[in-house]
Amino acid sequence: MVILVTNSPSKFGRMNKRERRFERLIATADRLLEGATQISTRFSRWRMAIFVIGLATTVILYKLALFHTGNATLALFIATFLVVAWYHNRLEARMHRLRLWRNVKSANLARLRLDWDSIPKDSSPTSESHAYAADLDLLGPRSLFTLLNTTLSSNGRDTLAKWLLDQNTRPPDPQGWGARQILVKELAPLSGFRDRLIVEASLVGEQEIDGRRILSTLQAPAGFSGLLPVLGTQSLLAACTISLGFGAALGWFPSYWMFSFTPYAIIYFLTSGRAAPAFSRALTLHDELEKLGAIFKLLKARSFVTTPSIKQLLSPLLDSPQRPDLYITRFARVSHSLSVRAHALVHLALNAVVPWDLLWTYRLEQLQRQVLPEIPTWLDTLAELEASAALGNFAFLNPEYTWPILVQPGSNGRVATLVARDLGHPMIPPAQRVTNDVELTGQGRIFIVTGSNMSGKSTFLRTVGMNACLAQAGAPVCARSFEASWMRLFCCIRVDDSLEAGLSFFYAEVKRLKQVLDATQDTLRPPVLFLIDEIFKGTNNRERVIGSRAFIRALAGNNAFGLVTTHDLELAELEKEIPTASNAHFREGVEARTLTFDYRLRPGPCPTTNALRIMAIEGLPVADPGTN
């Protein structure tokens, strides 16, 4: 029989060296910013003093009719003012970059301390009726996804969520999983690289890059039918107008330029509305393309000789004949040029001289045609880098975590397995975290976990499930060792009734359990890891025991292994009937009429209960069994 052995908090209770390092870095940044702020204040005073003194001196010299001296003095003060302003702006830019870098370190310190109020909020994806997301706290404001997410784009966010949420639908791919783990391992120590990615993107704007909007906007036609002939005609008329206007200004001939400008203006007003969509798309794309360009430029400038997995991932960006950094920069330039339409007078003046809108609309159409087939690959590559970097950041923040080992059933006689030592919940602070061992080997293996209220049963189920999810996503896990075959996760831990769907709590629980049972009957897919908390708690004791016995027997004969928690000690008798079933329990103690828990898992059924004791301690009219 497999026995689950408990362990003390061990190394997870020690203060993380990363925390002290982040505190020192943040303190250093604060000192630098404080000093730089004082210098910036002096620069502001100098600029004001130079302006006032320069203006007063120049006026006095002009009043004294010292015009040459006044002009020289004015030029000197303007040059001095520009030099001081340049240094001041340079200082402010560096301060802004340092603030962004400090924010990155502060966010990581918050993740390390599980300070949820200080962790940056994100638009966490939603996944209703998911097999395990709500049960394992994967999504939401205080979730594993929020703890992990450092992505820069919607594509990166969705990729990270997909790695966590699509494990049941994704076929097992040991080679792909191994390649991802190697990639995450390479990214883990590159904290400077990860920080700079975030800083460079944040320098352009705080909003995430919306990959879907970029792609849909670029897929829409930029120009209109007949754009090129109209552009050619307008260019010819503009050239004639400029030449004739220049000749008229020099007195070479009369104002013939009106003959070319008139049709030019007529064509402009007839076609200006047809070029307007390109302007709206330019406004949509400008900031996001500029941010993409900054990221791609950083990737292009960096060497990845010592990190072959990162280099291989980025090969579509680094080795593509269509240079992503250059083309995205060109897209940004076109978007910026078209955005002058927002300034009516400047826009009208430019189009009066040259066919500005048509020229840049045609340029946008050319760029779309050249790189549109490549953009989905570029965005997907960047998304995979972002998601891997998020997991790498998680590994960097938790160097004591271990890298899981994937076991392939059937190789060397191995069976479906989940074996972990010192397994802990990654979202419980190390000082309070208690670790346990768990060993599930072979299909049909079931642990029936009994224990008192608040003893840790539900938390233990989430500990197993969350670490299994992290392992299959390619991240390190909160354990001393972790070996597992590929699994499909199905949970019934957090069940809510639904007024909208007309479901009672019990019926909602039945539907969830039926979903679990159906999944375990599929023998052509990986085994199910089921985690069921307080089975059939929505009905009476007699029917609950009958239903639970039948359900557990069915699970034992299917393609699955896992844990079931219960208050019904009668279910502990199943260990005698089902060879693959074993009992384990959590227990409590009483000190000075106060319940205490050590959250350690022990073999065998629970020898104590505490419901009546809790009632008595809280003053309800029942006898305290502990006093008998």
Side-chain angles (χ1 to χ4, degrees):
M1 180 185 298
V2 178
I3 300 297
L4 279 78
V5 184
T6 61
N7 292 275
S8 61
S10 66
K11 60 182 179 181
F12 294 113
R14 297 197 298 266
M15 183 177 180
N16 198 316
K17 293 181 180 178
R18 294 281 190 272
E19 184 175 351
R20 293 193 295 269
R21 180 168 179 250
F22 283 136
E23 289 175 344
R24 289 195 299 268
L25 290 173
I26 292 170
T28 300
D30 287 338
R31 287 195 300 271
L32 291 174
L33 285 171
E34 183 179 359
T37 301
Q38 295 175 357
I39 296 174
S40 178
T41 302
R42 288 199 292 268
F43 267 120
S44 298
R45 293 170 181 167
W46 292 344
R47 290 173 67 171
M48 178 61 70
I50 291 170
F51 175 79
V52 172
I53 295 172
L55 180 63
T57 304
T58 302
V59 169
I60 291 173
L61 291 173
Y62 282 152
K63 289 286 187 179
L64 296 175
L66 301 174
F67 299 110
H68 293 295
T69 305
N71 290 336
T73 302
L74 178 62
L76 177 62
F77 275 107
I78 290 175
T80 304
F81 182 86
L82 292 176
V83 170
V84 173
W86 182 80
Y87 275 105
H88 190 192
N89 292 338
R90 186 181 178 189
L91 174 64
E92 287 290 334
R94 291 184 174 183
M95 290 173 63
H96 182 48
R97 181 182 289 271
L98 182 57
R99 287 191 192 97
L100 293 175
W101 179 84
R102 183 200 179 280
N103 291 341
V104 173
K105 296 301 182 185
S106 296
N108 279 334
L109 181 60
R111 290 187 177 94
L112 197 57
R113 291 175 171 174
L114 298 174
D115 180 4
W116 296 104
D117 293 333
S118 300
I119 296 176
K121 303 299 183 292
D122 54 62
S123 52
S124 177
T126 58
S127 184
E128 296 181 1
S129 302
H130 193 269
Y132 55 86
D135 299 87
L136 302 181
D137 297 319
L138 297 187
L139 302 177
R142 299 193 173 207
S143 64
L144 179 65
F145 182 84
T146 299
L147 188 66
L148 294 174
N149 187 28
T150 60
T151 58
L152 307 172
S153 69
S154 61
N155 296 57
R157 170 170 49 84
D158 292 345
T159 298
L160 178 61
K162 181 180 178 181
W163 290 354
L164 293 174
L165 303 179
D166 290 356
Q167 297 179 3
N168 288 356
T169 58
R170 191 167 68 246
D173 179 12
Q175 290 185 341
W177 179 87
R180 184 188 300 168
Q181 189 184 84
I182 293 172
L183 178 64
V184 174
K185 284 182 179 179
E186 287 186 356
L187 283 162
L190 303 181
S191 60
F193 171 65
R194 296 193 308 273
D195 293 350
R196 192 171 177 193
L197 276 176
I198 298 173
V199 169
E200 292 297 333
S202 300
L203 284 170
V204 180
E206 294 297 328
Q207 296 298 320
E208 70 174 6
I209 302 168
D210 192 334
R212 284 185 293 271
R213 182 166 60 177
I214 292 174
L215 193 57
S216 63
T217 303
L218 292 178
Q219 286 173 338
F224 53 85
S225 178
L227 171 61
L228 188 57
V230 173
L231 175 59
T233 302
Q234 288 291 80
S235 298
L236 181 61
L237 290 173
C240 291
T241 300
I242 293 173
S243 299
L244 294 173
F246 183 73
L250 295 178
W252 293 347
F253 35 76
S255 299
Y256 293 142
W257 62 272
M258 292 294 297
F259 293 106
S260 57
F261 181 75
T262 300
Y264 175 87
I266 292 173
I267 295 174
Y268 166 73
F269 285 113
L270 289 176
T271 59
S272 61
R274 303 176 71 183
F279 161 70
S280 62
R281 287 197 290 275
L283 292 181
T284 300
L285 291 174
H286 180 259
D287 288 344
E288 290 174 326
L289 288 180
E290 192 174 0
K291 187 177 293 188
L292 267 183
I295 295 173
F296 287 159
K297 180 183 272 188
L298 172 61
L299 296 178
K300 190 68 179 179
R302 186 180 176 90
S303 173
F304 297 100
V305 176
T306 59
T307 51
S309 293
I310 302 177
K311 184 177 182 180
Q312 182 179 358
L313 170 66
L314 297 179
S315 58
L317 302 179
L318 303 178
D319 304 329
S320 171
Q322 306 281 22
R323 286 271 306 274
D325 55 323
L326 293 181
Y327 276 97
I328 293 297
T329 301
R330 291 170 187 171
F331 268 121
R333 189 182 304 124
V334 171
S335 299
H336 180 71
S337 300
L338 285 169
S339 66
V340 299
R341 195 183 184 99
H343 309 283
L345 293 178
V346 176
H347 174 252
L348 188 61
L350 286 172
N351 280 281
V353 180
V354 294
W356 184 270
D357 286 352
L358 297 177
L359 176 65
W360 289 108
T361 299
Y362 177 68
R363 181 60 179 147
L364 178 59
E365 190 177 65
Q366 280 187 311
L367 284 172
Q368 285 183 234
R369 191 163 45 246
Q370 290 170 356
V371 301
L372 189 57
E374 305 291 336
I375 284 182
T377 302
W378 295 350
L379 292 175
D380 290 344
T381 300
L382 181 60
E384 189 169 350
L385 175 67
E386 295 173 53
S388 301
L391 298 184
N393 189 64
F394 179 72
F396 176 76
L397 295 177
N398 300 282
E400 70 277 10
Y401 286 11
T402 192
W403 293 98
I405 298 173
L406 183 65
V407 176
Q408 298 188 50
S411 61
N412 299 324
R414 300 298 295 269
V415 295
T417 298
L418 192 161
V419 178
R421 307 300 179 201
D422 281 351
L423 188 69
H425 198 299
M427 290 165 56
I428 294 178
Q432 288 81 46
R433 184 187 301 148
V434 177
T435 64
N436 289 284
D437 293 357
V438 62
E439 185 170 339
L440 295 166
T441 55
Q443 295 181 5
R445 169 62 64 186
I446 300 175
F447 278 99
I448 302 170
V449 183
T450 51
S452 304
N453 295 292
M454 303 180 294
S455 60
K457 300 189 302 296
S458 302
T459 299
F460 181 66
L461 294 186
R462 292 192 177 96
T463 298
V464 175
M466 189 176 291
N467 280 287
C469 185
L470 279 170
Q472 295 188 154
V477 295
C478 183
R480 178 165 53 88
S481 66
F482 191 100
E483 292 187 8
S485 52
W486 192 269
M487 303 163 289
R488 290 177 291 148
L489 271 167
F490 281 84
C491 301
C492 186
I493 301 175
R494 182 178 286 122
V495 180
D496 297 317
D497 55 358
S498 174
L499 295 177
E500 182 179 349
L503 299 178
S504 68
F505 176 87
F506 175 68
Y507 193 58
E509 182 184 19
V510 168
K511 290 179 70 68
R512 288 285 297 276
L513 291 173
K514 181 61 165 62
Q515 181 187 31
V516 175
L517 186 61
D518 289 345
T520 66
Q521 293 171 347
D522 187 349
T523 58
L524 300 179
R525 302 179 65 190
V528 168
L529 171 64
F530 57 83
L531 303 168
I532 302 172
D533 190 33
E534 301 296 347
I535 184 169
F536 290 128
K537 53 181 170 288
T539 188
N540 62 75
N541 180 69
R542 176 179 172 275
E543 293 178 312
R544 180 169 62 244
V545 172
I546 294 173
S548 299
R549 286 178 180 273
F551 189 81
I552 293 173
R553 289 192 189 103
L555 289 179
N558 289 338
N559 182 26
F561 53 76
L563 300 102
V564 177
T565 71
T566 180
H567 280 297
D568 298 311
L569 296 179
E570 297 93 329
L571 296 182
E573 298 299 320
L574 287 173
E575 183 181 45
K576 301 174 182 177
E577 303 176 25
I578 304 174
T580 56
S582 300
N583 287 308
H585 72 276
F586 292 93
R587 68 174 60 171
E588 84 289 341
V590 179
E591 297 179 5
R593 292 181 57 81
T594 301
L595 289 173
T596 61
F597 304 95
D598 61 11
Y599 307 111
R600 296 183 179 180
L601 194 64
R602 295 173 171 86
C606 183
T608 61
T609 58
N610 71 2
L612 292 176
R613 188 169 299 176
I614 292 175
M615 297 179 199
I617 289 175
E618 293 301 318
L620 295 182
V622 296
D624 187 347
T627 61
N628 294 339

